[in-house]
């Protein structure tokens, strides 16, 4: 199969040539097929978010390439959409206005926007809340708005940067199931950053395991548990085995980090 997204030998260096130069990514490479949900996991500071922002075109690598369907990415574009960990909603806009924001920028008509926005508001279970403002919503509801906004622009690829880190554990588990339902129904390709081993195994078709900084992908772990998955999936023996594999990787990398004096 041809990869929908491919990145090859990505190097990202911040403050190049200065005493505080940081080599964030080193020769990071990977391929992602259409319809996959890929989690990226690694020790703190390994460059997970930098990699995601590079795939989005927000960060330009010093060397290496990123391409979608064989076309090199030079910057942000409509084929990708980002969901941030801090919701990134505009507090002066209602739920409807937040979800509609990208569509308004693209020049859609009012009728097109209304039908489109309401479809995605219903999809994330927020029908009846379209005229509420962010301060009137719970953390989980805010994150649903962010997800609806990203889906509304109909990207080929959805990039999610620790989207559930700011919500409580019970809501987080519910949102994990919701994301899987949406991904399968909408047939989207998702790249998901997380610190949670449990979350990575539950959501992913594959997990990219990264090294300490400068980050690179050293293991591409296939999660061979069929979809659809439910919370009961987490009690399966194979689920625990995958968690153990990832934990052993993280433990080894954090030990390396400690020995380098970076912890």
């Amino acid at each position: 199969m041809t990869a929908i997204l491919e990145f090859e030998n990505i190097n990202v260096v911040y403050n190049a040539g200065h005493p505080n130069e940081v080599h964030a990514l080193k020769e990071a490479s990977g391929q992602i097929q259409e319809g996959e949900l890929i989690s990226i996991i690694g020790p703190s500071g390994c460059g997970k978010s930098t990699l995601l922002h590079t795939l989005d075109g927000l960060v330009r690598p010093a060397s290496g390439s990123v391409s979608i369907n064989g076309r090199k990415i030079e910057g942000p574009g409509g084929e990708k959409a980002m969901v941030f960990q801090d919701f990134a909603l505009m507090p002066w806009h209602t739920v409807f206005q937040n979800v509609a924001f990208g569509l308004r920028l693209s020049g859609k008509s009012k009728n097109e926007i209304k039908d489109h926005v309401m479809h995605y508001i219903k999809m994330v279970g927020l029908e009846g809340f379209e005229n509420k403002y962010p301060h009137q919503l719970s953390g989980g509801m805010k994150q649903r708005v962010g997800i609806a906004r990203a889906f509304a622009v109909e990207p080929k690829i959805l990039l999610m940067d620790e989207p559930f880190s700011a919500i409580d554990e019970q809501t987080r588990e519910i949102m994990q199931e919701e994301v899987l339902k949406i991904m399968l129904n909408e047939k989207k390709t998702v790249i998901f950053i997380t610190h949670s081993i449990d979350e990575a195994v539950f959501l992913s078709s594959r997990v990219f395991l990264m090294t300490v900084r400068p980050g690179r992908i050293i293991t591409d772990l296939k999660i061979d548990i069929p979809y659809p998955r439910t919370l009961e999936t987490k009690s399966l023996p194979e689920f625990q085995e995958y968690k153990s594999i990832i934990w052993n990787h993280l433990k080894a990398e954090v030990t390396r980090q400690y020995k380098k004096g970076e912890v």
Side-chain angles (χ1 to χ4, degrees):
M1 292 178 63
T2 303
I4 185 174
L5 187 146
E6 185 172 7
F7 53 102
E8 187 173 6
N9 297 325
I10 294 295
N11 284 279
V12 173
V13 181
Y14 295 117
N15 302 314
H18 293 274
N20 58 343
E21 175 180 294
V22 175
H23 198 162
L25 297 175
K26 182 179 181 181
E27 298 180 358
S29 298
Q31 292 185 340
I32 298 168
Q33 310 297 331
E34 188 170 7
E36 285 193 295
L37 195 156
I38 303 293
S39 286
I40 302 175
I41 197 166
S44 294
C46 72
K48 297 184 292 296
S49 290
T50 294
L51 176 56
L52 198 71
H53 295 167
T54 303
L55 300 182
D56 194 33
L58 295 170
V59 172
R60 179 165 290 190
S63 60
S65 63
V66 181
S67 59
I68 292 180
N69 290 326
R71 180 176 57 82
K72 188 174 180 180
I73 294 174
E74 300 291 350
E79 67 275 273
K80 309 177 298 298
M82 181 79 78
V83 178
F84 298 94
Q85 58 182 290
D86 60 355
F87 314 132
L89 303 181
M90 290 167 281
W92 57 91
H93 281 177
T94 64
V95 167
F96 184 96
Q97 291 166 333
N98 269 287
V99 176
F101 184 73
L103 296 172
R104 284 174 41 226
L105 291 180
S106 67
K108 299 279 188 184
S109 71
K110 285 187 177 181
N111 285 337
E112 284 180 297
I113 289 173
K114 182 178 179 181
D115 292 343
H116 212 66
V117 168
M118 288 309 302
H119 168 74
Y120 286 102
I121 286 175
K122 291 175 184 177
M123 182 186 75
V124 298
L126 288 177
E127 186 177 12
F129 291 88
E130 54 268 23
N131 294 319
K132 300 293 185 182
Y133 288 88
H135 74 271
Q136 297 173 298
L137 306 176
S138 68
M141 293 167 78
K142 290 176 185 176
Q143 197 55 275
R144 289 169 188 255
V145 177
I147 292 169
R149 180 178 58 189
F151 272 104
V153 297
E154 297 189 329
K156 294 179 181 177
I157 299 168
L158 191 63
L159 306 168
M160 306 183 80
D161 190 0
E162 294 191 69
F164 307 145
S165 62
I167 57 181
D168 64 83
E169 191 63 31
Q170 291 115 326
T171 305
R172 184 173 186 149
E173 292 205 343
I174 292 168
M175 290 301 299
Q176 290 169 5
E177 283 196 300
E178 289 299 314
V179 163
L180 281 184
K181 288 176 186 175
I182 293 167
M183 184 198 82
L184 294 173
N185 289 338
E186 296 287 313
K187 296 180 172 60
K188 295 295 182 185
T189 304
V190 180
I191 305 169
F192 193 98
I193 302 291
T194 182
H195 276 97
S196 168
I197 298 174
D198 186 274
E199 190 165 75
V201 176
F202 181 70
L203 292 174
S204 309
S205 48
R206 289 187 289 145
V207 179
F208 290 168
L209 301 179
M210 291 186 68
T211 65
V212 295
R213 191 177 67 230
R216 60 189 177 89
I217 295 167
I218 57 169
T219 302
D220 179 349
L221 178 65
K222 183 179 179 183
I223 306 298
D224 198 12
I225 299 174
Y227 292 106
R229 298 172 189 168
T230 65
L231 294 180
E232 286 70 32
T233 301
K234 297 184 179 185
S235 63
L236 295 174
E238 54 266 44
F239 189 92
Q240 302 305 319
E241 289 172 13
Y242 286 124
K243 285 181 64 175
S244 180
I245 292 169
I246 297 173
W247 166 243
N248 288 333
H249 162 79
L250 285 176
K251 184 178 179 181
E253 289 300 309
V254 171
T255 300
R256 284 183 57 209
Q257 215 172 23
Y258 180 82
K259 289 179 177 178
K260 290 169 66 178
E262 295 181 359
V263 175

